[in-house]
Amino acid sequence: RPVPRQLPADVRGFVNRIDELAQLNAVLGGEGGAPPVISVCVIAGTPGAGKTSLALRWAHEVQGRFPDGQLYVNLRGYDPGEPVTAHQALHRFLIALGVEPGSVPRDTDAASALYRSLLANRRMLVVLDNAATVSQVRPLLPGSSASPVVVTSRSRLSGLAVRDGARRLTLGVLPEQESVALLRTVTSGYRPDDEPERLVELARLCAGLPLALRIAAERAAGRPHLRLEDLITDLRDESALWDALSTGEDEDVEAVRTVFAWSYRALPDQAARLFRLLGLHPGPEFGLHAAAALAGLSTGRTRQLVDSLVGAHLLEQTAPDRYQFHDLLRAYAVDQAQYEEPGPEREAALRRVLEWYLHTADAAQSWISPAEDRLRLDPPTEGVRPL
């Protein structure tokens, strides 16, 4: 089997976090073949602070120090849907390490023991993204310090520090100067004449959170002829809206929601509709054809709309024709669907995508096992084009 290289793509336009990268190097780096000082590091912080971006940037920088590969899993601890369990993650890792799927132990403890055995003489890097609980993480820890682990979480996961000796790196918001540098990085080439004081004002409205800053910067870059002052005025209007709807949550989260609303309301009608309907998708990741069925649109038109959402940083592309939400954005899309889509429209959209999966699975079964008995299905609803 090939050496596992499971890291997602590095973050485009990553800036700052120099001190945090140095801390990760100091405790986990293992330079010159030396074992890491600490084998587990938890990157904790508020939603939208860039925990995943930091972990991936560091992992890509040091992957050459781990010749036996890198393992990565998004545990989806804060998604609106069900999180990934430790056993599900172990199943994926063991298959990547060469275990046949049918030979993976069904018991979590047994699967964890096999996982530790396979990593015992290897130098691998393990990245556990978006963990919510210690129970999601502990079975995924190797038994050897030669394979360090980076965990990202909104929680402190204190149990890992107490029992497993984990080091915690708390990620705060970006200082003002670094926030402006991030805005400049994204908008350079589109808006070279923006006044520094206006960039500072925009950075403050985004509360120094990288996720909010990137989305705001992409919107500014997409409107190079509109004054930044006017964009800021629009953002302040959205801020007033969220103040009225405030649930008393952390101010940083409210800043992210404000930027979400600001960017969402700038979308063309069809793109905005697709964004909120994608929040109804029953799984955290989806393909282009499933998105087309959900919206009842052609594949070509759906691709155009999805590309616009990716360009606005409202959707992430994970592979050719494969997409997912940041967990905060998925929650926001669900809220917008509940608020703006009538109940019958939501039900019809969900039925279309489920029919698409059903008929596509049926087509696959008829090709793989043509002699096997199967139920006869009614024709798919209009607008559903199964593979």
Side-chain angles (χ1 to χ4, degrees):
R1 290 177 182 267
V3 173
R5 305 286 186 190
Q6 297 185 341
L7 293 178
D10 198 0
V11 181
R12 179 175 58 87
F14 185 93
V15 295
N16 310 313
R17 302 298 192 192
I18 304 301
D19 291 342
E20 289 84 355
L21 288 170
Q23 290 182 54
L24 287 170
N25 266 326
V27 298
L28 294 179
E31 296 185 66
V37 176
I38 299 291
S39 59
V40 183
C41 184
V42 177
I43 302 175
T46 190
K51 301 180 291 295
T52 297
S53 296
L54 174 66
L56 291 180
R57 168 46 59 102
W58 180 79
H60 277 280
E61 287 183 350
V62 302
Q63 60 182 324
R65 303 178 194 169
F66 302 98
D68 295 315
Q70 305 90 40
L71 297 173
Y72 170 89
V73 64
N74 184 349
L75 294 171
R76 304 191 183 280
Y78 301 95
D79 273 23
E82 289 295 317
V84 175
T85 65
H87 192 272
Q88 289 170 332
L90 283 168
H91 192 276
R92 300 178 193 179
F93 283 175
L94 289 171
I95 291 174
L97 293 168
V99 178
E100 292 300 322
S103 299
V104 175
R106 295 184 179 182
D107 177 70
T108 300
D109 289 340
S112 182
L114 176 59
Y115 167 72
R116 291 193 300 271
S117 298
L118 292 174
L119 290 189
N121 296 313
R122 305 190 191 192
R123 285 179 56 82
M124 300 191 76
L125 177 62
V126 182
V127 180
L128 308 177
D129 201 10
N130 288 317
T133 63
V134 172
S135 62
Q136 274 185 299
V137 172
R138 186 164 282 139
L140 304 175
L141 299 181
S144 166
S145 63
S147 295
V149 180
V150 179
V151 184
T152 72
S153 178
R154 296 182 198 174
S155 305
R156 294 166 61 86
L157 300 182
S158 299
L160 292 180
V162 173
R163 179 173 158 185
D164 303 285
R167 177 78 60 88
R168 184 185 305 116
L169 193 165
T170 302
L171 206 59
V173 300
L174 288 175
E176 190 173 280
Q177 185 176 354
E178 295 185 359
S179 297
V180 171
L182 178 53
L183 292 173
R184 282 283 192 207
T185 298
V186 177
T187 60
S188 63
Y190 300 95
R191 309 180 60 93
D193 301 323
D194 283 337
E195 299 173 354
E197 57 269 23
R198 294 299 183 195
L199 290 172
V200 168
E201 189 176 359
L202 181 57
R204 288 173 178 169
L205 283 172
C206 294
L209 285 162
L211 177 61
L213 288 163
R214 283 187 178 278
I215 294 174
E218 286 290 350
R219 185 172 174 197
R223 293 156 180 77
H225 303 298
L226 191 63
R227 294 188 309 163
L228 195 58
E229 182 178 358
D230 294 331
L231 291 172
I232 290 172
T233 299
D234 289 345
L235 182 52
R236 286 193 181 281
D237 289 343
E238 295 296 348
S239 183
L241 168 67
W242 280 113
D243 286 344
L245 300 175
S246 175
T247 57
E249 293 184 72
D250 189 281
E251 290 182 4
D252 294 339
V253 179
E254 290 302 316
V256 171
R257 286 179 170 175
T258 297
V259 175
F260 288 175
W262 184 57
S263 299
Y264 170 72
R265 293 175 192 279
L267 293 171
D269 288 344
Q270 275 199 316
R273 176 176 175 270
L274 178 61
F275 173 81
R276 57 182 180 263
L277 287 180
L278 288 173
L280 303 176
H281 187 271
E285 189 175 333
F286 46 86
L288 175 67
H289 295 84
L294 194 62
L297 298 172
S298 69
T299 304
R301 180 57 180 152
T302 303
R303 189 191 300 277
Q304 293 174 346
L305 297 175
V306 166
D307 285 346
S308 71
L309 294 177
V310 172
H313 274 287
L314 296 176
L315 205 60
E316 302 171 21
Q317 185 165 5
T318 59
D321 289 341
R322 297 291 298 174
Y323 306 91
Q324 68 178 10
F325 280 117
H326 184 285
D327 52 9
L328 287 179
L329 280 162
R330 186 181 179 202
Y332 182 74
V334 171
D335 284 345
Q336 294 308 117
Q338 297 289 339
Y339 180 69
E340 296 191 37
E341 291 290 324
E345 292 293 325
R346 296 198 303 269
E347 184 175 342
L350 187 58
R351 183 177 184 86
R352 283 194 301 270
V353 74
L354 293 177
E355 281 194 17
W356 181 87
Y357 279 116
L358 176 63
H359 282 271
T360 297
D362 182 63
Q365 182 193 19
S366 67
W367 186 79
I368 295 169
S369 304
E372 190 174 67
D373 290 337
R374 66 184 196 278
L375 294 174
R376 185 179 299 277
L377 302 178
D378 292 331
T381 303
E382 184 179 354
V384 177
R385 302 171 184 84
L387 298 178

